[in-house]
Amino acid sequence: MLPTPESLEGKPVPHVTFKARPNDQWKDISTDELFKGRTVVVFSLPGAYTPTCSSTHLPRYNELAPVFRQNGVDEIVCISVNDAFVMNEWKVGQDAENITVIPDGNGDFSEGMGMLVDKRNLGFGMRSWRYSMLVKDGIIQKIFIEADKEGDPFDVSDAETMLRYIHPDVQVPDPVVVFSKPGCPHCARAKATLKAHGLAFTEIVQDRKINSSVLRAVSGQSTWPQVFIGGKLIGNADAVDAYFGAAKPA
């Protein structure tokens, strides 16, 4: 049986040491190192590379990381019962530069949280249940635990739910997509403008499949870059500058 939020809130996180590989070097990372004196958002999930985790859970936390930082969060941590090699490769494949991935390879942290569940029917062994929590100085301030039901529920541990708990009136930015090509100075300028305004974006880079024909089909334009915000075409680098009221560099 899963714990209730009431049984965990106000209590310290489990004291464990994770076997991680930041910069491809083995390093022991303790929970004190992660949480002491800091405000951290944690989301935990059944496994790297699994569908919901890869398509929604991790990407949205990564996308909204700048907004979390603006609202007092020092770090966003993803914990899963996977080894360090798997977690690192998953992060690279997801372009999740705003997320710290922590391998709970032996399930010690998940077990200490009461979240270690039996997934042997899927060939997964023991894995973490899906949840998210806000931790301040090592103490669980708020935790959202997915309902104990069949399948892989994903209703309350998402990034928006946590963000709106931290700041109920927060303005969630629209999703941003940039079609760019390698070595393009205008693309670099557009991306710099987006970053300067705290916007995370998905970059779709020109290749054999994403070519000028694709660009014209989706935007009606043939010049790189083309930027979309909230489903609306903004346009090229000059248009992005104009959108934000920014002066074009000399």
Side-chain angles (χ1 to χ4, degrees):
M1 181 179 294
L2 295 171
T4 63
E6 294 76 17
S7 69
L8 293 173
E9 290 170 357
K11 295 184 178 179
V13 296
H15 182 73
V16 304
T17 298
F18 301 102
K19 301 292 184 180
R21 283 184 61 84
N23 302 313
D24 293 323
Q25 298 294 322
W26 285 111
K27 181 182 179 182
D28 287 352
I29 299 177
S30 70
T31 43
D32 280 350
E33 186 175 346
L34 280 176
F35 299 112
K36 191 172 183 180
R38 310 174 74 227
T39 297
V40 180
V41 166
V42 176
F43 65 102
S44 190
L45 38 80
Y49 295 103
T50 53
T52 301
C53 308
S54 295
S55 65
T56 308
H57 209 175
L58 182 139
R60 192 60 171 152
Y61 271 103
N62 184 66
E63 183 180 358
L64 293 180
V67 187
F68 277 103
R69 286 195 292 268
Q70 291 164 11
N71 286 275
V73 174
D74 296 309
E75 191 168 12
I76 300 177
V77 171
C78 174
I79 295 177
S80 180
V81 183
N82 289 110
D83 64 68
F85 294 99
V86 167
M87 292 296 281
N88 287 355
E89 287 301 313
W90 184 47
K91 175 177 176 173
V92 170
Q94 290 284 310
D95 292 325
E97 62 182 12
N98 298 316
I99 305 298
T100 299
V101 294
I102 294 295
D104 186 26
N106 295 325
D108 296 334
F109 187 87
S110 299
E111 184 175 25
M113 288 290 300
M115 298 291 186
L116 197 64
V117 295
D118 191 339
K119 293 280 186 179
R120 284 180 293 181
N121 63 313
L122 298 175
F124 282 16
M126 303 301 288
R127 294 295 180 105
S128 174
W129 191 248
R130 195 184 297 277
Y131 65 93
S132 67
M133 61 181 175
L134 176 65
V135 182
K136 293 188 177 182
D137 195 22
I139 304 298
I140 301 169
Q141 301 293 306
K142 181 67 177 179
I143 187 166
F144 296 98
I145 305 171
E146 296 296 342
D148 189 0
K149 59 184 181 181
E150 289 296 319
D152 182 18
F154 180 50
D155 299 309
V156 298
S157 62
D158 58 287
E160 279 92 343
T161 297
M162 177 59 74
L163 190 56
R164 290 199 168 97
Y165 169 77
I166 294 171
H167 189 330
D169 299 321
V170 69
Q171 294 295 313
V172 178
D174 289 323
V176 181
V177 173
V178 178
F179 285 84
S180 69
K181 67 177 181 178
C184 167
H186 304 293
C187 302
R189 178 158 60 89
K191 290 185 288 183
T193 299
L194 293 169
K195 289 178 180 179
H197 287 81
L199 292 181
F201 54 85
T202 298
E203 183 175 8
I204 300 176
V205 181
Q206 180 192 35
D207 60 18
R208 286 178 297 176
K209 293 182 179 180
I210 308 299
N211 53 32
S212 294
S213 295
V214 172
L215 190 68
R216 286 195 300 273
V218 299
S219 71
Q221 305 295 323
S222 59
T223 57
W224 303 80
Q226 292 298 321
V227 176
F228 290 79
I229 299 179
K232 177 184 177 182
L233 173 63
I234 305 303
N236 61 15
D238 290 341
V240 172
D241 284 341
Y243 179 84
F244 290 108
K248 181 180 176 181

